[in-house]
CSV table of all heavy atoms in Angstrom, one decimal:
chain,number,residue,atom,x,y,z
A,32,LEU,N,0.4,5.9,20.7
A,32,LEU,CA,0.6,7.1,21.4
A,32,LEU,C,-0.5,7.6,22.3
A,32,LEU,O,-0.3,7.9,23.4
A,32,LEU,CB,0.9,8.3,20.4
A,32,LEU,CG,1.4,9.6,21.1
A,32,LEU,CD1,2.7,9.3,21.9
A,32,LEU,CD2,1.7,10.6,20.1
A,95,ALA,N,32.4,3.6,16.2
A,95,ALA,CA,31.0,3.5,16.9
A,95,ALA,C,31.2,2.9,18.3
A,95,ALA,O,30.6,3.4,19.3
A,95,ALA,CB,30.2,2.5,16.1
A,97,ILE,N,34.1,3.0,20.3
A,97,ILE,CA,34.9,3.9,21.2
A,97,ILE,C,34.2,5.2,21.4
A,97,ILE,O,33.9,5.6,22.6
A,97,ILE,CB,36.3,4.1,20.5
A,97,ILE,CG1,37.1,2.8,20.4
A,97,ILE,CG2,37.2,5.1,21.4
A,97,ILE,CD1,38.3,2.9,19.6
A,132,PHE,N,17.7,8.4,31.6
A,132,PHE,CA,18.8,8.7,30.8
A,132,PHE,C,19.7,7.5,30.5
A,132,PHE,O,20.3,7.3,29.4
A,132,PHE,CB,19.7,9.9,31.4
A,132,PHE,CG,19.2,11.2,31.1
A,132,PHE,CD1,18.4,11.9,31.8
A,132,PHE,CD2,19.7,11.8,29.8
A,132,PHE,CE1,18.0,13.2,31.4
A,132,PHE,CE2,19.3,13.0,29.4
A,132,PHE,CZ,18.4,13.7,30.2
A,156,GLN,N,21.9,-1.1,-1.7
A,156,GLN,CA,20.5,-0.8,-2.0
A,156,GLN,C,19.6,-2.1,-1.7
A,156,GLN,O,18.7,-2.2,-2.5
A,156,GLN,CB,20.4,-0.3,-3.4
A,156,GLN,CG,21.4,0.9,-3.7
A,156,GLN,CD,21.2,1.4,-5.1
A,156,GLN,OE1,20.1,1.7,-5.6
A,156,GLN,NE2,22.4,1.6,-5.8
A,160,ARG,N,15.6,-5.9,2.9
A,160,ARG,CA,16.1,-6.4,4.3
A,160,ARG,C,16.0,-5.2,5.2
A,160,ARG,O,15.7,-5.4,6.4
A,160,ARG,CB,17.6,-6.9,4.2
A,160,ARG,CG,17.6,-8.3,3.6
A,160,ARG,CD,19.0,-8.9,3.8
A,160,ARG,NE,19.0,-10.4,3.5
A,160,ARG,CZ,19.3,-10.9,2.3
A,160,ARG,NH1,19.5,-10.0,1.3
A,160,ARG,NH2,19.3,-12.2,2.1
A,191,GLY,N,12.8,2.8,27.8
A,191,GLY,CA,13.3,1.5,27.8
A,191,GLY,C,12.7,0.7,26.7
A,191,GLY,O,13.4,-0.1,26.0
A,213,GLY,N,29.1,-12.0,5.0
A,213,GLY,CA,30.1,-12.2,6.0
A,213,GLY,C,31.5,-11.8,5.6
A,213,GLY,O,32.3,-11.4,6.4
A,215,TRP,N,32.5,-9.5,3.8
A,215,TRP,CA,32.8,-8.1,3.7
A,215,TRP,C,32.9,-7.5,5.2
A,215,TRP,O,33.2,-6.4,5.3
A,215,TRP,CB,31.7,-7.4,3.0
A,215,TRP,CG,31.6,-7.8,1.6
A,215,TRP,CD1,31.1,-8.9,1.0
A,215,TRP,CD2,32.2,-7.0,0.5
A,215,TRP,NE1,31.2,-8.9,-0.3
A,215,TRP,CE2,31.9,-7.7,-0.7
A,215,TRP,CE3,32.9,-5.9,0.4
A,215,TRP,CZ2,32.4,-7.3,-1.9
A,215,TRP,CZ3,33.3,-5.4,-0.9
A,215,TRP,CH2,33.0,-6.1,-2.0
A,278,ILE,N,8.9,12.6,7.5
A,278,ILE,CA,10.0,11.6,7.3
A,278,ILE,C,9.5,10.5,6.4
A,278,ILE,O,10.3,9.8,5.7
A,278,ILE,CB,10.3,11.1,8.7
A,278,ILE,CG1,10.9,12.3,9.6
A,278,ILE,CG2,11.3,10.0,8.6
A,278,ILE,CD1,11.2,11.9,11.0
A,280,VAL,N,7.8,10.8,3.6
A,280,VAL,CA,8.2,11.2,2.3
A,280,VAL,C,9.7,11.1,2.1
A,280,VAL,O,10.2,10.7,1.1
A,280,VAL,CB,7.6,12.7,2.0
A,280,VAL,CG1,8.1,13.2,0.7
A,280,VAL,CG2,6.2,12.7,2.1
A,335,TRP,N,-7.8,11.6,17.9
A,335,TRP,CA,-6.6,10.8,18.3
A,335,TRP,C,-6.2,10.9,19.7
A,335,TRP,O,-6.0,9.9,20.4
A,335,TRP,CB,-5.4,11.3,17.4
A,335,TRP,CG,-4.2,10.4,17.5
A,335,TRP,CD1,-4.0,9.1,17.6
A,335,TRP,CD2,-2.8,11.0,17.6
A,335,TRP,NE1,-2.7,8.7,17.8
A,335,TRP,CE2,-1.9,9.9,17.7
A,335,TRP,CE3,-2.3,12.3,17.4
A,335,TRP,CZ2,-0.6,10.0,17.7
A,335,TRP,CZ3,-1.0,12.5,17.5
A,335,TRP,CH2,-0.1,11.3,17.7
A,351,LEU,N,3.3,23.6,11.7
A,351,LEU,CA,4.4,22.6,11.4
A,351,LEU,C,4.3,22.0,10.1
A,351,LEU,O,5.2,21.6,9.4
A,351,LEU,CB,4.5,21.5,12.5
A,351,LEU,CG,4.9,22.0,13.9
A,351,LEU,CD1,4.8,20.9,15.0
A,351,LEU,CD2,6.4,22.4,13.9
A,381,SER,N,22.0,23.4,6.7
A,381,SER,CA,21.5,23.1,7.9
A,381,SER,C,21.7,24.1,9.1
A,381,SER,O,20.8,24.4,9.9
A,381,SER,CB,22.0,21.7,8.4
A,381,SER,OG,21.5,20.7,7.5
A,386,ILE,N,20.1,28.3,12.9
A,386,ILE,CA,20.3,29.5,13.4
A,386,ILE,C,19.0,30.3,13.4
A,386,ILE,O,18.6,31.0,14.4
A,386,ILE,CB,21.5,30.2,12.8
A,386,ILE,CG1,22.8,29.5,13.2
A,386,ILE,CG2,21.6,31.6,13.2
A,386,ILE,CD1,24.0,29.9,12.5
A,394,PHE,N,13.0,34.7,20.4
A,394,PHE,CA,12.2,36.0,20.5
A,394,PHE,C,10.8,35.8,20.6
A,394,PHE,O,10.1,36.5,21.3
A,394,PHE,CB,12.5,36.8,19.2
A,394,PHE,CG,13.8,37.6,19.3
A,394,PHE,CD1,14.9,37.2,18.7
A,394,PHE,CD2,13.9,38.8,20.1
A,394,PHE,CE1,16.1,37.9,18.7
A,394,PHE,CE2,15.1,39.5,20.2
A,394,PHE,CZ,16.2,39.1,19.5
A,441,LEU,N,9.8,24.8,-6.8
A,441,LEU,CA,9.0,25.9,-6.1
A,441,LEU,C,7.5,25.8,-6.3
A,441,LEU,O,6.8,26.0,-5.4
A,441,LEU,CB,9.5,27.3,-6.5
A,441,LEU,CG,11.0,27.5,-6.1
A,441,LEU,CD1,11.4,28.9,-6.6
A,441,LEU,CD2,11.4,27.2,-4.7
A,502,ARG,N,5.7,12.3,-18.3
A,502,ARG,CA,6.3,11.0,-18.5
A,502,ARG,C,6.7,10.3,-17.2
A,502,ARG,O,6.6,9.1,-17.1
A,502,ARG,CB,7.5,11.2,-19.4
A,502,ARG,CG,8.2,10.0,-19.9
A,502,ARG,CD,9.4,10.2,-20.9
A,502,ARG,NE,10.4,11.0,-20.4
A,502,ARG,CZ,10.8,12.2,-20.6
A,502,ARG,NH1,10.0,12.8,-21.6
A,502,ARG,NH2,11.9,12.8,-20.2
Side-chain angles (χ1 to χ4, degrees):
L32 190 59
I97 298 170
F132 270 98
Q156 304 182 51
R160 284 193 171 88
W215 293 81
I278 298 175
V280 176
W335 186 40
L351 288 175
S381 293
I386 290 169
F394 278 103
L441 302 181
R502 184 173 67 248

